[in-house]
Amino acid sequence: MSILNETDPANQPERMQLRRDENTLMVVGSGVIVFGVWSVLKVLLLETSRLPDMMAEIRLQDLGLEEAGVGDLSWVVAAMTIVFILIGLLLDLSIRVFVGMSARAEGKGKKQGRAYLVWSALLLTASGLSFCSYVYAFFRGSDQVMDSDAAILVELTSFVTLLQMILSAVRVRRARRAERERG
Amino acid sequence: MQLDFHYYGTYCAAILAGWSHEDSLKICYSAQFVDCCSKALLARIKGPASAATTQLQVELMDQHTDLPGLQDMTRIWASFHFLPCDLYAEVRKWAPAPYRNKYRMICGPNGALVKETVELAKGGSLQAAGVAMHVLADTWAHRYFAGTPSLVINNTNYYFYELYGDAESGTWRQVRFRHGPSSSDDLEQGIYVSTVFRARENSIMNLGHGRAGHLPDYSFMRYRYLPAWGNYAEVLKDNPSDYYHAFCQMIYGLKYLRGAEETFEAERYDKEAAAPYEKKIMEILTVRRPDACADWKAFAEELSGCAVEDFDEKRYEQEYMTAESTAKEGTFLGSFIQAAAAQKSMVTAEIARSGNRLAGVPAIRKERRAEG
């Protein structure tokens, strides 16, 4: 007969907690990827809106290039800046996708190395520092306080997501090791 | 459950319970007709829409999910296909009332309402017996799901595995769900059609066992999954065993309705009557195929020695439509409509009596209020 039985080995508290943590890994893994996409979009939107100001700020005469007769290369500098920003964004996104996909794979029962946990710890640290900087800007009364409100919340969520992922991954590994030892 | 069990399976149970061939045909027809009697059909035959015992997919697509719409849906599905097992079930501490009400709508066999359903049919028409048998059978197939739209009760996730092969040597494989409405199940590859995930609590997609597709209705299926309400506890659903229990309980219930048993009690099954045919029945239940009508029909004809006509949804429509309005109640469909109304009224009243407003207020109470 069909059963939903507390005495069934599949429904022992440790097994249920393991399933819960695996499910959490699946969910937060997806969350980390989404936050990675959000980070890219945020920077792209910000930099696109600031592009005219950035162009205006590049003063080649300060570099002495105009006097040297090289000509106006402000567009080259702007293009290189954008390229470096894009490379940075892609790196950040790649790391987050790697971390997120690894977490999801671990949640599905596949064995994963420690690399993604190391990277997630680094992302957690970066997220924490970023959160602190937004809080500082908020209390300092910065001109961009409206941006900071939303950014604080998003950064806090990202921090909590990464923290949850690390904790769940540790619990899942401990539980699976204990199961293997029990045989 | 499907036509094979509701129609032919009920016929076989009725024969084994001692009913005649003609009466068994009426009982099994009524049992299957519960899956056909939609508002669209009733509109076609000019019957009362309140007697609907099911909703077609097209009707569900147009169904509103505001409070009256949800109550209307719950009245139909909980009364006929997902009979609640325990309307007073204990829920976890600090559970909010909306969650508690939906949790108590979870379907399961051998609840107090099943006993009331069968007792309601006692002394009634053959159609009432058929309705009761449909409801009883579905409590086994649809257990662990609720007949009200609810994400937190009826949702499923990727943790869904079926046993491919027989019980002893089969292997567990993960079920893959797809959501195209025109797709069909691929039993060999383990790809099944289910409703799409919707995060909204009262979405139609979260009604009944939609999120598990047709799996509860396949008699051969054995699967394990995490019900949304289970707090990560695993359910092992053994359909062949459940269907066999349903069959034996139907024999017992039909014997009670015939007068061969004095009472109808939960957790009782007439396994002795089914025992000589257990091997045959389990063979029919465990063959991996979408439809077992042919085998059930052959078994039914072997049992009774009579030809069992195929189910025809329109068989009794002319009789009902051409009858005078005062004589409609005496027709086959008229008796079915009365039985369905009685069943719906009983279940709705019991749900309301438990303090649960998911099925609204029964009509009889509204009449009493109107009277004063």
Side-chain angles (χ1 to χ4, degrees):
Chain A
M1 204 182 294
S2 301
I3 48 173
L4 172 57
N5 192 346
E6 285 174 1
T7 59
D8 183 358
N11 289 335
Q12 294 306 303
E14 304 83 31
R15 290 285 299 159
M16 287 168 61
Q17 184 61 43
L18 175 59
R19 284 195 284 268
R20 180 193 296 275
D21 290 330
E22 285 173 342
N23 187 240
T24 303
L25 271 181
M26 294 275 293
V27 171
V28 297
S30 306
V32 167
I33 296 170
V34 166
F35 276 116
V37 171
W38 155 250
S39 297
V40 169
L41 280 174
K42 182 180 74 174
V43 172
L44 279 177
L45 288 170
L46 211 58
E47 294 308 317
T48 308
S49 66
R50 287 181 189 170
L51 193 59
D53 295 336
M54 186 173 67
M55 294 285 290
E57 279 176 18
I58 296 170
R59 294 194 194 100
L60 289 175
Q61 55 270 31
D62 294 340
L63 300 174
L65 289 174
E66 201 173 309
E67 289 156 3
V70 177
D72 183 12
L73 292 178
S74 58
W75 65 271
V76 174
V77 175
M80 283 174 62
T81 308
I82 290 168
V83 165
F84 283 126
I85 289 172
L86 281 175
I87 290 172
L89 287 177
L90 281 173
L91 266 176
D92 179 63
L93 182 61
S94 308
I95 291 167
R96 287 179 188 270
V97 167
F98 165 69
V99 166
M101 297 294 286
S102 300
R104 284 179 56 84
E106 179 132 42
K108 281 185 182 174
K110 295 178 190 165
K111 203 166 179 324
Q112 297 293 302
R114 286 185 197 174
Y116 90 93
L117 287 177
V118 171
W119 279 111
S120 55
L122 290 171
L123 286 173
L124 181 73
T125 308
S127 183
L129 290 171
S130 180
F131 173 69
C132 291
S133 73
Y134 281 122
V135 169
Y136 177 70
F138 178 79
F139 283 109
R140 208 180 60 148
S142 157
D143 292 341
Q144 290 165 338
V145 73
M146 287 300 290
D147 294 340
S148 293
D149 280 352
I152 283 174
L153 291 172
V154 172
E155 208 60 57
L156 180 62
T157 310
S158 174
F159 180 84
V160 169
T161 303
L162 285 162
L163 182 63
Q164 183 73 62
M165 190 180 74
I166 293 170
L167 291 174
S168 297
V170 167
R171 278 199 295 260
V172 162
R173 286 171 180 227
R174 270 198 201 141
R176 285 182 185 159
R177 197 180 320 123
E179 269 198 359
R180 278 197 302 271
E181 285 164 7
R182 274 197 301 268
Chain B
M1 287 180 173
Q2 310 183 111
L3 186 147
D4 51 16
F5 196 90
H6 279 312
Y7 187 65
Y8 296 107
T10 304
Y11 175 88
C12 295
I15 293 289
L16 289 173
W19 291 88
S20 68
H21 164 71
E22 291 73 23
D23 286 350
S24 299
L25 274 181
K26 288 182 180 169
I27 292 171
C28 74
Y29 185 95
S30 302
Q32 173 56 26
F33 198 70
V34 174
D35 274 344
C36 305
C37 186
S38 60
K39 285 183 181 172
L41 184 145
L42 288 163
R44 190 170 73 237
I45 65 173
K46 298 187 174 38
S50 59
T53 60
T54 191
Q55 289 180 293
L56 304 174
Q57 258 191 345
V58 292
E59 290 173 354
L60 284 171
M61 277 163 54
D62 283 340
Q63 177 73 50
H64 293 291
T65 52
D66 54 10
L67 182 60
L70 288 173
Q71 289 176 342
D72 190 34
M73 262 193 288
T74 305
R75 272 193 292 272
I76 292 173
W77 293 97
S79 300
F80 298 104
H81 306 278
F82 295 89
L83 197 70
C85 182
D86 185 356
L87 288 173
Y88 302 90
E90 290 296 323
V91 201
R92 65 172 193 269
K93 208 175 171 190
W94 307 118
Y99 177 81
R100 183 192 63 219
N101 288 340
K102 292 195 172 178
Y103 182 86
R104 288 174 171 173
M105 296 296 289
I106 293 173
C107 173
N110 294 312
L113 277 177
V114 167
K115 185 168 151 63
E116 282 197 54
T117 295
V118 177
E119 287 173 349
L120 183 68
K122 176 76 171 171
S125 60
L126 297 170
Q127 291 80 357
V131 169
M133 290 305 107
H134 180 108
V135 174
L136 185 154
D138 270 354
T139 60
W140 287 93
H142 298 163
R143 67 192 304 186
Y144 305 133
F145 292 98
T148 189
S150 174
L151 176 73
V152 298
I153 300 294
N154 293 329
N155 192 37
T156 65
N157 62 6
Y158 59 89
Y159 192 101
F160 213 115
Y161 300 88
E162 65 161 332
L163 186 63
Y164 186 69
D166 57 47
E168 286 82 31
S169 60
T171 52
W172 290 99
R173 69 176 179 189
Q174 191 166 20
V175 165
R176 283 177 288 164
F177 284 114
R178 58 184 172 199
H179 311 298
S182 57
S183 308
S184 56
D185 293 343
D186 186 339
L187 302 186
E188 291 311 309
Q189 299 296 319
I191 306 173
Y192 301 92
V193 179
S194 75
T195 54
V196 69
F197 174 76
R198 282 283 179 267
R200 202 161 57 86
E201 165 64 10
N202 294 329
S203 168
I204 299 286
M205 301 293 138
N206 300 322
L207 172 65
H209 62 76
R211 293 290 293 138
H214 208 52
L215 270 63
D217 292 331
Y218 286 135
S219 63
F220 61 85
M221 193 64 75
R222 290 181 177 94
Y223 55 93
R224 53 192 174 90
Y225 73 106
L226 305 183
W229 51 267
N231 197 25
Y232 294 93
E234 188 184 88
V235 163
L236 171 61
K237 187 82 168 41
D238 185 347
N239 279 0
S241 171
D242 282 351
Y243 277 51
Y244 187 71
H245 278 83
F247 185 77
C248 297
Q249 195 171 48
M250 283 203 299
I251 298 173
Y252 166 56
L254 286 164
K255 277 188 174 175
Y256 164 73
L257 292 175
R258 193 171 65 80
E261 293 278 352
E262 280 186 16
T263 57
F264 179 82
E265 303 297 335
E267 307 269 6
R268 277 188 62 181
Y269 317 95
D270 195 342
K271 290 188 175 173
E272 286 135 17
Y277 313 99
E278 183 179 352
K279 189 163 174 285
K280 176 72 183 164
I281 294 169
M282 289 308 288
E283 270 174 20
I284 297 173
L285 291 176
T286 50
V287 172
R288 191 176 189 87
R289 74 199 140 188
D291 188 288
C293 283
D295 285 350
W296 272 112
K297 182 174 175 174
F299 177 53
E301 289 174 345
E302 181 192 316
L303 269 184
S304 63
C306 305
V308 178
E309 47 202 5
D310 291 342
F311 178 76
D312 176 11
E313 183 183 291
K314 297 185 189 324
R315 186 179 304 160
Y316 297 103
E317 283 186 10
Q318 274 303 113
E319 182 200 17
Y320 184 82
M321 288 194 293
T322 54
E324 295 289 327
S325 55
T326 48
K328 280 196 190 307
E329 279 185 9
T331 62
F332 185 99
L333 289 187
S335 298
F336 177 89
I337 285 168
Q338 281 186 297
Q343 169 70 10
K344 191 188 273 190
S345 187
M346 182 274 289
V347 174
T348 307
E350 288 300 328
I351 293 173
R353 189 171 293 129
S354 72
N356 193 331
R357 291 288 178 262
L358 280 173
V361 177
I364 192 165
R365 277 203 197 167
K366 283 184 192 165
E367 284 166 11
R368 282 187 187 157
R369 272 204 207 131
E371 284 165 13

